Amino acid sequence: MKHFIVGPVEMYECTKNVLGKGYTYFRTEEYGNLVKNCLEKLSEYLGNSTPNSLIYLASSGTGAMEAVIDNCMTKSDKALVIKGGTFGKRFCELLNYYDIPFESIDLEWNETLTKEHFNKFENKGFNTLFVNIDETQTGQLYDINIISDFCKRNNMYLVVDAISSFLADEYDMDKYGIDATIISSQKGLCISAGMALISFSKRFLNKIYSNPLPRTKYFNFRDYLKEIERGQTPYTPPVTTMYELDAILNYIEQSGGKNKWIKNVADKCMYFRERATSLGFKIPQYPKSNTLTPVYFDDVDASEIVKILRDKYEIYVNPCGGNLANRLLRVSHIGNTTIEDIDDLLEKMSKIYTELKSRELIYDRK
Ligand SMILES: *Cc1c(COP(=O)(O)O)cnc(C)c1O
């Protein structure tokens, strides 16, 4: 069985069975120190120099997206969302749910975000921008320079869902003036699902403290921010995933650090794209994250390829939801996969594609 899905991904040996190696009750100073070390390292990876500004929740990524809106936004804010797929749409649904005024920049699935898209939103009173920097549905990586410049020009907060981009693409909160970053455990960090993390800028922390209380009690950020100073959480944290985080961060450091790790993902990604193209597969041209490659089909059903890979070869790639299900499949490059695994996948994809195409030709002749 091999997983080329975006998450949970193939795990590394060092993160398997972490509790079997021994663990501490989470209310101890020892556990708190482990947490503080992990979060400091992650803050460094995120390029955020504000101390004690990274919290973690027992939740998947969407829980953190929702909690950010509930804790950080009020009805007197005005948000702008980049909506280029299902994850952009999710921000819109959440803002809608909490009655936060917003507008969105709507992109077709294969439309590249450009500077021009922002023109009509200049000086219109928007104060917070929400973006999924890698829109995982299509794999488009938006240009952080364009987004960051727009936010600075308009004096806006910038909230980034980097869930599927973190540790696959370059990232730097201080450099781009990013005010909140949402990440989660099961993607680039390559550990189990169930932990979401949010990192804040100083000025966004101030906004949280001056906002009215959120509707949620369980995810009230003030409680998390207070506890995190000693590496604690208000309620039982996802302890197992925290031990996995500690293990993977040590492994990343031993393997040469963050930049080397990102380069390894980028190398696998480039290898896949070159080989796939030379085999005749079509890859959309918009700028893409290193996390995944969308492969486009106009002559066979993409979802059929996903299904045969799974049923016949036990290889899992991501289908593409919604209106793109028959046209796109997505291959992830994060997780413990090798060049040999990619060769194997491509060989099988080619075989299935050829078979499906000859079937289609027979249908056409009838
Ligand atoms: C995976 C992902 C999420 C979170 O999805 P969950 O199912 O809640 O973990 C959010 N945003 C993006 C861009 C993602 O790729």
Side-chain angles (χ1 to χ4, degrees):
M1 199 190 298
K2 208 78 213 178
H3 291 276
F4 288 94
I5 63 167
V6 183
V9 301
E10 289 286 337
M11 284 178 50
Y12 289 84
E13 275 314 311
C14 63
T15 60
K16 293 180 184 164
N17 189 26
V18 284
L19 295 194
K21 292 164 201 145
Y23 63 96
T24 326
Y25 171 49
F26 68 89
R27 286 299 180 206
T28 57
E29 199 180 327
E30 192 184 340
Y31 179 81
N33 288 337
L34 177 117
V35 170
K36 280 170 69 170
N37 278 335
C38 288
L39 299 187
E40 262 169 39
K41 185 47 75 186
L42 271 184
S43 297
E44 180 196 316
Y45 286 4
L46 286 162
N48 187 356
S49 57
T50 309
N52 295 320
S53 62
L54 177 58
I55 60 171
Y56 74 110
L57 312 176
S59 147
S60 84
T62 306
M65 292 165 77
E66 172 160 359
V68 164
I69 288 168
D70 193 9
N71 278 271
C72 308
M73 302 298 287
T74 70
K75 288 184 179 119
S76 44
D77 290 312
K78 193 173 165 195
L80 182 63
V81 183
I82 299 174
K83 185 169 133 208
T86 47
F87 291 98
K89 193 162 155 243
R90 191 167 299 176
F91 267 138
C92 294
E93 286 166 358
L94 290 166
L95 286 162
N96 213 12
Y97 192 87
Y98 284 89
D99 282 327
I100 312 296
F102 74 95
E103 288 183 41
S104 58
I105 296 179
D106 297 359
L107 303 171
E108 294 295 323
W109 77 269
N110 56 356
E111 183 180 352
T112 303
L113 180 76
T114 62
K115 252 163 62 187
E116 286 66 41
H117 285 110
F118 291 91
N119 287 348
K120 67 175 197 186
F121 300 100
E122 299 274 359
N123 304 315
K124 291 275 158 42
F126 291 95
N127 77 342
T128 313
L129 189 135
F130 286 83
V131 62
N132 322 87
I133 199 68
D134 168 26
E135 169 49 75
T136 319
Q137 190 196 12
T138 63
Q140 177 167 173
L141 181 72
Y142 301 125
D143 188 336
I144 188 66
N145 290 295
I146 296 177
I147 294 167
S148 169
D149 289 349
F150 172 77
C151 288
K152 284 178 181 163
R153 241 187 350 261
N154 287 274
N155 194 23
M156 290 169 73
Y157 297 107
L158 173 52
V159 176
V160 178
D161 162 2
I163 292 177
S164 68
S165 175
F166 181 60
L167 289 182
D169 307 303
E170 303 290 327
Y171 197 78
D172 195 325
M173 287 182 70
D174 288 349
K175 181 172 169 192
Y176 295 107
I178 297 165
D179 290 292
T181 301
I182 304 163
I183 57 177
S184 70
S185 50
Q186 83 275 23
K187 303 232 166 123
L189 284 166
C190 309
I191 55 179
S192 303
M195 184 199 287
L197 303 105
I198 312 154
S199 180
F200 304 100
S201 69
K202 185 105 192 20
R203 64 171 190 163
F204 213 51
L205 287 176
N206 292 337
K207 183 176 193 318
I208 293 172
Y209 288 118
S210 59
N211 277 353
L213 284 175
R215 279 201 223 169
T216 173
K217 166 112 179 59
Y218 184 77
F219 287 127
N220 181 353
F221 286 172
R222 290 162 220 230
D223 297 336
Y224 286 80
L225 286 162
K226 180 162 164 268
E227 293 290 341
I228 209 62
E229 288 181 22
R230 47 188 191 103
Q232 291 294 331
T233 41
Y235 316 104
T236 309
V239 176
T240 312
T241 317
M242 181 50 74
Y243 275 93
E244 290 172 4
L245 179 62
D246 181 50
I248 197 73
L249 290 174
N250 285 328
Y251 184 66
I252 292 172
E253 286 298 304
Q254 281 160 21
S255 316
K258 179 195 75 166
N259 292 339
K260 181 107 184 284
W261 189 265
I262 292 176
K263 184 173 182 301
N264 182 40
V265 177
D267 286 347
K268 283 197 282 180
C269 168
M270 209 154 34
Y271 181 82
F272 176 87
R273 286 177 192 170
E274 277 169 13
R275 284 270 295 147
T277 307
S278 73
L279 288 166
F281 289 113
K282 296 187 197 74
I283 298 171
Q285 287 305 306
Y286 49 78
K288 289 175 290 293
S289 164
N290 292 320
T291 291
L292 74 110
T293 302
V295 185
Y296 178 76
F297 296 90
D298 50 14
D299 46 6
V300 303
D301 183 346
S303 70
E304 196 62 18
I305 299 186
V306 175
K307 192 167 170 301
I308 298 172
L309 276 170
R310 184 186 66 208
D311 293 347
K312 196 163 169 192
Y313 301 110
E314 292 200 326
I315 296 177
Y316 291 79
V317 299
N318 277 108
C320 198
N323 51 341
L324 293 170
N326 302 328
R327 289 285 151 257
L328 279 190
L329 61 80
R330 297 169 300 157
V331 175
S332 146
H333 310 299
I334 50 180
N336 189 11
T337 52
T338 63
I339 295 292
E340 290 72 42
D341 296 328
I342 295 173
D343 285 338
D344 186 48
L345 166 68
L346 280 168
E347 183 200 316
K348 270 134 199 180
M349 269 174 66
S350 282
K351 209 163 130 191
I352 298 167
Y353 177 59
T354 311
E355 273 170 27
L356 287 180
K357 228 165 66 171
S358 60
R359 244 194 261 166
E360 299 271 325
L361 285 177
I362 295 166
Y363 283 134
D364 283 351
R365 273 192 225 115
K366 274 184 191 161

